[in-house]
């Protein structure tokens, strides 16, 4: 026990320096050094008698640090609950947003090509009515009427939702 103390105790400042450089956090580094020293004491009998104890101790510290960094990467950084704001716990659900997004895309795909083109050019690409008319090669009044019909139809399709498409598909017929 005395020979272990004589060898390991002078290494502690070096171990702390190395742990701090690896983890870049003083508290975590001190915890790592403590874990390393516990392992060194518990497994002192397993070291090679002819090997360098200093290298063995630093290897233990290094391996523990790598394991801790991997664990942190998998689990994320530990933050005490008291230090966290309430807004971090209350994140809005995104499932419904995904459903609305998918419903809008489905409804957009169900529009006739001429209405969909006008709606995309004006609503998404932010073209003016005159620019959209020039792109499509139609009069300005046609763009305005197609856009109006497209908006009405899109709102109707989104409001009806996906249940409508299941009921309006080909139905079963009775054959005698």
């Amino acid at each position: 026990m005395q020979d272990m103390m004589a060898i390991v105790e002078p290494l502690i400042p070096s171990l702390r320096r190395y742990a701090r450089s690896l983890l870049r956090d003083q508290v975590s580094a001190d915890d790592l050094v403590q874990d390393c020293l516990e392992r060194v004491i518990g497994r002192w009998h397993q070291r090679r008698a002819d090997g360098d104890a200093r290298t063995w101790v630093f290897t233990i510290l290094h391996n523990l640090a790598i394991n801790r960094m991997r664990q942190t990467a998998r689990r994320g950084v530990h933050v005490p609950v008291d230090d966290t704001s309430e807004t971090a716990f209350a994140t809005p659900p995104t499932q419904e947003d995904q459903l609305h997004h998918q419903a809008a895309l489905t409804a957009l795909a169900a529009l006739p090509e001429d209405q969909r083109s006008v709606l995309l050019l004006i609503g998404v690409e932010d073209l003016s009515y005159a620019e959209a008319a020039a792109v499509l090669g139609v009069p300005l009044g046609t763009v305005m009427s197609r856009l109006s019909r497209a908006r009405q139809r899109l709102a109707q399709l989104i409001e009806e939702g996906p249940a409508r498409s299941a009921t309006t598909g080909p139905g079963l017929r009775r054959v005698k």
Side-chain angles (χ1 to χ4, degrees):
M1 184 73 166
Q2 293 299 327
D3 65 327
M4 178 182 62
M5 292 299 291
I7 294 172
V8 174
E9 192 172 359
L11 296 176
I12 293 175
S14 300
L15 291 170
R16 289 182 76 199
R17 244 189 333 271
Y18 185 57
R20 285 181 183 172
S21 68
L22 287 175
L23 298 180
R24 295 186 175 103
D25 179 34
Q26 182 177 354
V27 175
S28 297
D30 289 343
D31 289 343
L32 182 68
V33 170
Q34 181 177 350
D35 292 345
C36 174
L37 293 174
E38 287 175 10
R39 190 160 294 185
V40 166
I41 291 169
R43 298 187 178 161
W44 185 254
H45 64 281
Q46 294 178 351
R47 69 173 177 81
R48 291 185 186 167
D50 61 338
D52 183 17
R54 184 171 201 258
T55 305
W56 182 68
V57 172
F58 272 92
T59 301
I60 291 173
L61 179 76
H62 181 78
N63 290 338
L64 287 171
I66 296 299
N67 290 342
R68 186 165 295 180
M69 287 186 277
R70 285 181 182 158
Q71 182 182 29
T72 302
R74 271 193 325 269
R75 295 183 181 171
V77 178
H78 173 74
V79 177
V81 174
D82 296 337
D83 295 346
T84 307
S85 68
E86 290 183 22
T87 57
F89 294 116
T91 58
T94 60
Q95 298 91 341
E96 193 171 339
D97 293 340
Q98 296 284 341
L99 292 174
H100 289 303
H101 178 73
Q102 188 60 43
L105 290 177
T106 304
L108 187 63
L111 290 176
E113 180 60 37
D114 57 344
Q115 292 178 5
R116 184 173 49 241
S117 299
V118 170
L119 190 65
L120 290 174
L121 288 173
I122 293 173
V124 177
E125 299 302 328
D126 204 26
L127 269 61
S128 69
Y129 290 6
E131 291 169 331
V135 168
L136 298 172
V138 295
L140 183 63
T142 303
V143 167
M144 290 169 33
S145 64
R146 284 182 185 174
L147 181 62
S148 175
R149 284 193 302 268
R151 286 176 176 163
Q152 287 174 351
R153 183 70 180 138
L154 186 65
Q156 179 186 10
L157 288 171
I158 290 174
E159 188 174 313
E160 289 174 358
R164 182 193 123 353
S165 62
T167 60
T168 60
L172 296 176
R173 293 187 328 197
R174 178 181 230 174
V175 179
K176 290 186 179 183

